[in-house]
Amino acid sequence: MNLKQVAFLFIGQTPRSDTMEEMRRYLPDLQIREYGALDGVSEAEITSEYAPKSHQDLLISKLQNGRSVQISEEMLGGRLQLKLEQAVADGAQLCVLMCTGSFPGLQSQVPLLTMDEVFHRNVELPTDIKTIGLIVPMEEQQVQFAAQYAHFKKEVLTAAASPYGLTETIIEEALKLKARGAECICLDCMGYTDIQAQEVAVNTHLPVHTPRREIANQILKIAVK
């Protein structure tokens, strides 16, 4: 595929320099545009109209002011669809959903990569491990996200530490998971950075997987086909 332009769709607001600076380092030869499902929506509207209805409906992202916010997965589908159509109209040859939530109803005229497909289903875990250590942003997400790994037929241990908080907290939770028997760590949110992953790896001496790295690898594979 002669891939030149890629669109990244966020469930919150853009610009997301905290994420895109890293993605541009991974993908220096591609034109990259970013789109936020909640661009143009006030924080007051978000907290009143897009608040999660249950733990199973809960996602977390960032606003333009830098604050993290809890968002309803169910309420975002329509706005994501509009942003996806805008990205295609702007010339995107590939669209990437930058969220580990699941939005099966999205329709795209160009290939659409989702974290559910790339990370939850196809992350390249070490073949000889029996136990996955899973870190998610919030405690309420642990059961919901752990279910995404059932097809690996491995034990899944969970912990919570926000990617927008202290890296030390993420390291502490990873060390607790290792003490409980985890043989690798999956940081399950697009907010976790490569630097955080490196710190966790150095401190736990375990393989660490992040959605950002996995999606960048997949885009590079598509670009060279």
Side-chain angles (χ1 to χ4, degrees):
M1 182 179 185
N2 186 22
L3 185 62
K4 295 181 179 179
Q5 185 170 315
V6 180
F8 290 84
L9 281 70
F10 291 86
I11 61 170
Q13 294 179 335
T14 58
R16 281 294 301 271
S17 58
D18 60 314
T19 301
M20 297 312 299
E21 286 179 5
E22 192 170 307
M23 297 306 296
R24 287 187 171 94
R25 288 199 300 271
Y26 294 150
L27 308 166
D29 299 324
L30 296 176
Q31 295 178 358
I32 290 176
R33 292 189 178 186
E34 52 187 305
Y35 300 81
L38 296 177
D39 286 348
V41 182
S42 70
E43 187 171 359
E45 288 178 287
I46 292 170
T47 55
S48 63
E49 298 180 21
Y50 294 90
K53 300 175 181 178
S54 67
H55 293 166
Q56 290 73 34
D57 186 42
L58 188 155
L59 296 173
I60 186 171
S61 189
K62 266 192 174 183
L63 303 180
Q64 287 175 335
N65 59 20
R67 286 198 286 269
S68 60
V69 63
Q70 296 182 12
I71 313 171
S72 165
E73 181 174 330
E74 180 183 339
M75 296 293 292
L76 285 174
R79 293 193 66 89
L80 278 173
Q81 182 64 50
L82 291 174
K83 292 296 180 179
L84 178 56
E85 293 169 5
Q86 179 185 344
V88 173
D90 290 342
Q93 299 165 282
L94 174 70
C95 292
V96 183
L97 179 57
M98 299 293 279
C99 175
T100 51
S102 178
F103 297 90
L106 292 178
Q107 302 293 320
S108 177
Q109 296 178 353
V110 301
L112 172 65
L113 292 181
T114 67
M115 296 302 105
D116 186 50
E117 173 191 357
V118 175
F119 195 67
H120 292 149
R121 300 185 186 279
N122 294 302
V123 60
E124 295 185 0
L125 301 175
T127 57
D128 58 342
I129 69 165
K130 297 180 179 179
T131 307
I132 299 170
L134 175 63
I135 299 182
V136 299
M138 292 174 288
E139 292 184 8
E140 298 92 332
Q141 296 174 311
Q142 291 181 78
V143 174
Q144 172 194 1
F145 278 44
Q148 306 277 11
Y149 295 79
H151 63 96
F152 285 111
K153 307 298 182 183
K154 301 179 186 296
E155 182 180 9
V156 181
L157 305 175
T158 63
S162 173
Y164 309 122
L166 297 174
T167 299
E168 287 78 6
T169 303
I170 302 172
I171 294 170
E172 289 172 6
E173 294 302 323
L175 287 169
K176 291 177 185 176
L177 290 174
K178 181 180 180 180
R180 293 167 58 194
E183 298 166 275
C184 73
I185 302 294
C186 290
L187 300 177
D188 198 324
C189 178
M190 287 305 306
Y192 294 113
T193 69
D194 192 46
I195 292 175
Q196 290 170 333
Q198 291 174 18
E199 290 290 332
V200 170
V202 166
N203 282 273
T204 63
H205 303 287
L206 295 177
V208 179
H209 303 273
T210 66
R212 293 186 189 183
R213 174 64 73 175
E214 295 291 333
I215 199 66
N217 289 342
Q218 185 62 31
I219 292 171
L220 289 171
K221 290 177 182 178
I222 292 172
V224 299
K225 283 184 178 179

